[in-house]
Amino acid sequence: MRAVEQKYMKAAIEAAQEAGTPYGAVLLQPETGQKIVVANSVKADADPTAHAEVNALREAGKQGIPAQGSVLFSTCEPCPMCAMAAVWAGVSHIYYGATIDDAAQHGNQVRIYCREVAEKAWYDLQVEGGVLREECRSLFVK
């Protein structure tokens, strides 16, 4: 694993820790170096779609940062909703730490895996899991 993946995953982990949730995300636009760092805010605002990955994509839009070709780092494997949002946004690469199966040990999860969604995209969306997995899994234990 390269240092760059670890660097941005650590930023996602820090966002999750600060928000008191296991879910954090970083959206990086590699062409410009612009990045968005967010956490899941479902509990805070009662919006069931306010997952960290969706929040990052929304924030990028508000700031005028193009999501097309961006790289998404998530502390947990994106759920089907978040994976599809990444596809529609044109994200080029998704890195995640903990798996959906890891998360399922601590709550309800839809077991449609990120890779399954990516394989259905009309473009080549790369998905790599296991980045700082143990650190990301530890976010579920309080």
Side-chain angles (χ1 to χ4, degrees), residues 17-66:
Q17 289 171 327
E18 288 173 12
T21 177
Y23 304 102
V26 171
L27 186 71
L28 173 68
Q29 182 44 262
E31 290 181 16
T32 63
Q34 294 172 294
K35 69 178 178 178
I36 302 292
V37 181
V38 298
N40 188 346
S41 61
V42 171
K43 292 179 187 176
D45 64 14
D47 177 353
T49 68
H51 293 195
E53 301 91 339
V54 170
N55 288 344
L57 292 166
R58 287 176 180 162
E59 187 59 32
K62 288 178 191 173
Q63 293 186 27
I65 298 172

Side-chain angles (χ1 to χ4, degrees), residues 89 120 122 139:
K120 305 289 186 211
W122 59 93
L139 293 168

Side-chain angles (χ1 to χ4, degrees), residues 4-5 7-15 23-29 34-39 52-53 56-57 70-75 91 93-95:
V4 68
E5 286 92 9
K7 172 185 174 183
Y8 291 111
M9 188 61 73
K10 285 180 182 178
I13 290 168
E14 288 173 13
Y23 304 102
V26 171
L27 186 71
L28 173 68
Q29 182 44 262
Q34 294 172 294
K35 69 178 178 178
I36 302 292
V37 181
V38 298
E53 301 91 339
L57 292 166
S70 62
V71 179
L72 180 64
F73 298 85
S74 179
T75 57
V91 168
H93 207 119
I94 297 173
Y95 292 97

Side-chain angles (χ1 to χ4, degrees), residues 23 76 98-109 111 140:
Y23 304 102
C76 189
T99 67
I100 284 178
D101 293 329
D102 293 332
Q105 295 175 5
H106 303 278
N108 298 329
Q109 289 294 320
R111 285 193 166 113
F140 287 96

Side-chain angles (χ1 to χ4, degrees), residues 79-130:
C79 73
M81 175 186 70
C82 293
M84 279 306 304
V87 168
W88 287 116
V91 168
S92 67
H93 207 119
I94 297 173
Y95 292 97
Y96 64 85
T99 67
I100 284 178
D101 293 329
D102 293 332
Q105 295 175 5
H106 303 278
N108 298 329
Q109 289 294 320
V110 176
R111 285 193 166 113
I112 298 174
Y113 302 95
C114 187
R115 224 176 278 291
E116 293 177 68
V117 174
E119 289 170 356
K120 305 289 186 211
W122 59 93
Y123 66 96
D124 185 26
L125 171 55
Q126 297 295 306
V127 176
E128 293 184 43

